[in-house]
Amino acid sequence: MDPITFIPEIGGLIWTIVAFVIALSVIVAVHEYGHYIIARWSGIRSEVFSLGFGPVLWSRMDKHGTRWQVALLPFGGYVKFLGDSDAASGKDGEAVASLPKEEQRHTMHGAPLWARTATVAAGPVFNFVLAVAIFTAIGLTRGVPVEPLTVGSVHPMPVAHDIRPGDTLLTVEGHAISDISGEAGQEVIEDLPKQALLDYTVRRDGRETRVQGPFIMPPMVQQLSPQSAAYNAGLKAGDVITAVDGAPIVAFDQLKDRVLAAEGAALLLDVWRDGETLQLTLAPRRVDEPTGSGGFETNWRIGILGGMFFDPATESPGPVEALIGGVATLWEIIVGSVSGLYHMITGAISSCNMSGPIGIAEVSGQMASQGAISFIYFVGVLSAAVGLLNLFPIPVLDGGHLVFYAYEAVVGKPPSDLALRVLMAVGLALILSVMLFALSNDVLCP
């Protein structure tokens, strides 16, 4: 076999690793910086701030006595505080006891309860802040559609038409167009004849004009879901699917119907791309999707997000509106993650929905391949997930430490050192077990 044929695969693997390392490094750096900066403000001294583990590649000492370093293995990081025995903030009893009383106040174990609580909680909180900042920035960048619905740019389509950028859409086949994403807009789309060209009334240069345009929601690939059948089959953003198993389609709903009807059987797609028609074969996969009621339902999907044949003209939302949207997106991710975990534990959905490091790395590379905005959005999602994970009440995680502090607040004293060591060992074993299970999913799940 010609070794040249391996170059794309090798390049794809490198791209995946680089994307994963960048995403993880940003999230870990923000998380650990949260611990570090709140500790400093609370009077707790940090001896080491490390991005990565293992042999140190670079380090420097700052004026506060903290050694900042980058280590060889970029799969995490830590802050080591004064009096810690290890990167997990275990207590070095001898070292703490040997310090003068005034110095013990600057250790993680001798600081007031409020200072320790704030320091530990800061890591997940900073992850949430990063996620909200990313979602808010994307909202400001993408903007919101202007009203009435106006064409910003038109995607290449396999049929010739007369819709132009700047046109304000008034009617399609006699139906008034307002908010195409709302319920009324969806009803209009369902009532439209399934034809390649439809009659539109547009306002152009101040006058109403009748023109012909494509079906408003064509079977076009706007975005690909990572690790989906469509992504693996080679579909790309901008592709228009013109036929399924030889039967022509013009609407995205027709594509959905054919995918559902196939029930996992392979489909032959005719795909229009840059003026040429390709044929790709793929098989829909079962996907567990959240419902509006908080549950999940299983559907057959190929993993593409559709859209209109044009991008609407947009205007920038106000910073407050964008911030509210960013917080709402974070909340949706948290609720969806908790609901998904609960339904996996109860067996309502497949445990294959849990990905390990290999799966997350693959998603990182696939999102990066779809553009900077997609990758940055993924970093926000992953940051929210990391923040939530660290709040779980499991020893070793931040949430476990917060439970210990809550116990101390109620009882008046912390758990004994022996109890802490046992609980930390149990927590570590639990975390490692979950990681191994997730890793097995990466290898064994379809």
Side-chain angles (χ1 to χ4, degrees):
M1 181 177 290
D2 188 349
I4 297 297
T5 60
F6 286 105
I7 291 178
E9 285 76 7
I10 295 172
L13 176 61
I14 294 174
W15 179 249
T16 294
I17 294 173
V18 168
F20 177 57
V21 169
I22 290 174
L24 187 62
S25 297
V26 169
I27 292 166
V28 168
V30 168
H31 180 96
E32 297 302 333
Y33 186 77
H35 290 316
Y36 163 79
I37 194 63
I38 298 302
R40 203 180 87 188
W41 292 343
S42 303
I44 299 172
R45 292 178 185 168
S46 304
E47 294 185 324
V48 179
F49 185 110
S50 181
L51 190 59
F53 296 95
V56 176
L57 302 177
W58 170 88
S59 70
R60 74 172 183 86
M61 187 75 73
D62 69 10
K63 63 181 180 180
H64 301 288
T66 302
R67 179 173 297 282
W68 297 73
Q69 65 184 38
V70 176
L72 180 63
L73 304 176
F75 302 114
Y78 63 92
V79 177
K80 184 176 181 295
F81 300 107
L82 179 66
D84 287 354
S85 61
D86 49 44
S89 290
K91 182 179 179 180
D92 187 340
E94 292 185 4
V96 173
S98 66
L99 293 172
K101 283 291 184 182
E102 60 273 14
E103 282 295 303
Q104 291 182 14
R105 163 61 181 84
H106 300 300
T107 69
M108 187 63 172
H109 309 279
L113 182 60
W114 68 265
R116 287 177 278 145
T117 302
T119 297
V120 169
V125 169
F126 269 54
N127 280 134
F128 294 149
V129 170
L130 173 62
V132 170
I134 287 174
F135 301 146
T136 301
I138 290 176
L140 289 169
T141 302
R142 288 181 171 172
V144 295
V146 300
E147 295 182 0
L149 186 61
T150 302
V151 178
S153 59
V154 181
H155 297 289
M157 297 298 294
V159 293
H161 60 88
D162 303 319
I163 302 292
R164 303 176 187 174
D167 286 348
T168 298
L169 304 188
L170 304 177
T171 69
V172 54
E173 292 292 326
H175 297 277
I177 299 177
S178 53
D179 180 12
I180 209 68
S181 63
E183 291 185 9
Q186 294 304 307
E187 291 177 1
V188 167
I189 293 174
E190 291 174 4
D191 291 339
L192 293 176
K194 300 302 188 285
Q195 300 172 183
L197 287 173
L198 302 176
D199 291 326
Y200 289 79
T201 303
V202 304
R203 182 178 291 114
R204 180 183 295 168
D205 300 327
R207 294 176 299 186
E208 291 190 10
T209 305
R210 293 193 66 184
V211 297
Q212 285 196 315
F215 195 90
I216 195 164
M217 294 285 287
M220 181 189 69
V221 180
Q222 187 176 70
Q223 190 173 354
L224 294 158
S225 297
Q227 298 180 307
S228 64
Y231 190 97
N232 293 339
L235 281 167
K236 297 182 179 180
D239 287 350
V240 180
I241 299 169
T242 57
V244 179
D245 289 336
I249 59 172
V250 297
F252 193 83
D253 282 345
Q254 290 178 302
L255 175 61
K256 288 176 63 177
D257 292 342
R258 303 290 172 84
V259 169
L260 291 173
E263 296 186 339
L267 299 170
L268 177 64
L269 307 182
D270 288 0
V271 179
W272 185 87
R273 178 187 297 168
D274 299 330
E276 298 182 357
T277 298
L278 314 172
Q279 287 194 323
L280 299 174
T281 301
L282 56 78
R285 298 175 182 173
R286 286 186 178 273
V287 177
D288 296 312
E289 299 174 327
T291 63
S293 60
F296 280 78
E297 62 181 8
T298 302
N299 291 306
W300 292 102
R301 295 286 186 255
I302 61 174
I304 67 173
L305 176 68
M308 296 182 288
F309 69 90
F310 64 91
D311 290 327
T314 60
E315 58 187 2
S316 179
V320 174
E321 181 182 357
L323 178 60
I324 292 173
V327 173
T329 301
L330 171 66
W331 181 246
E332 289 174 5
I333 292 170
I334 291 174
V335 171
S337 299
V338 173
S339 176
L341 181 60
Y342 170 78
H343 284 84
M344 276 190 285
I345 293 173
T346 59
I349 61 176
S350 171
S351 59
C352 285
N353 285 283
M354 177 182 290
S355 293
I358 296 176
I360 296 172
E362 289 178 349
V363 173
S364 300
Q366 292 173 11
M367 293 299 286
S369 70
Q370 297 186 59
I373 295 296
S374 294
F375 178 65
I376 293 171
Y377 181 84
F378 171 72
V379 171
V381 172
L382 192 57
S383 183
V386 168
L388 176 62
L389 173 65
N390 272 277
L391 286 179
F392 286 173
I394 300 173
V396 177
L397 297 180
D398 294 331
H401 287 284
L402 293 176
V403 170
F404 297 152
Y405 298 154
Y407 171 88
E408 182 178 347
V410 173
V411 176
K413 62 179 182 179
S416 67
D417 290 347
L418 176 60
L420 285 175
R421 286 196 295 270
V422 171
L423 290 171
M424 294 289 274
V426 171
L428 181 60
L430 179 59
I431 292 297
L432 291 175
S433 298
V434 172
M435 290 179 62
L436 288 173
F437 177 76
L439 185 61
S440 69
N441 280 353
D442 292 340
V443 177
L444 301 176
C445 288

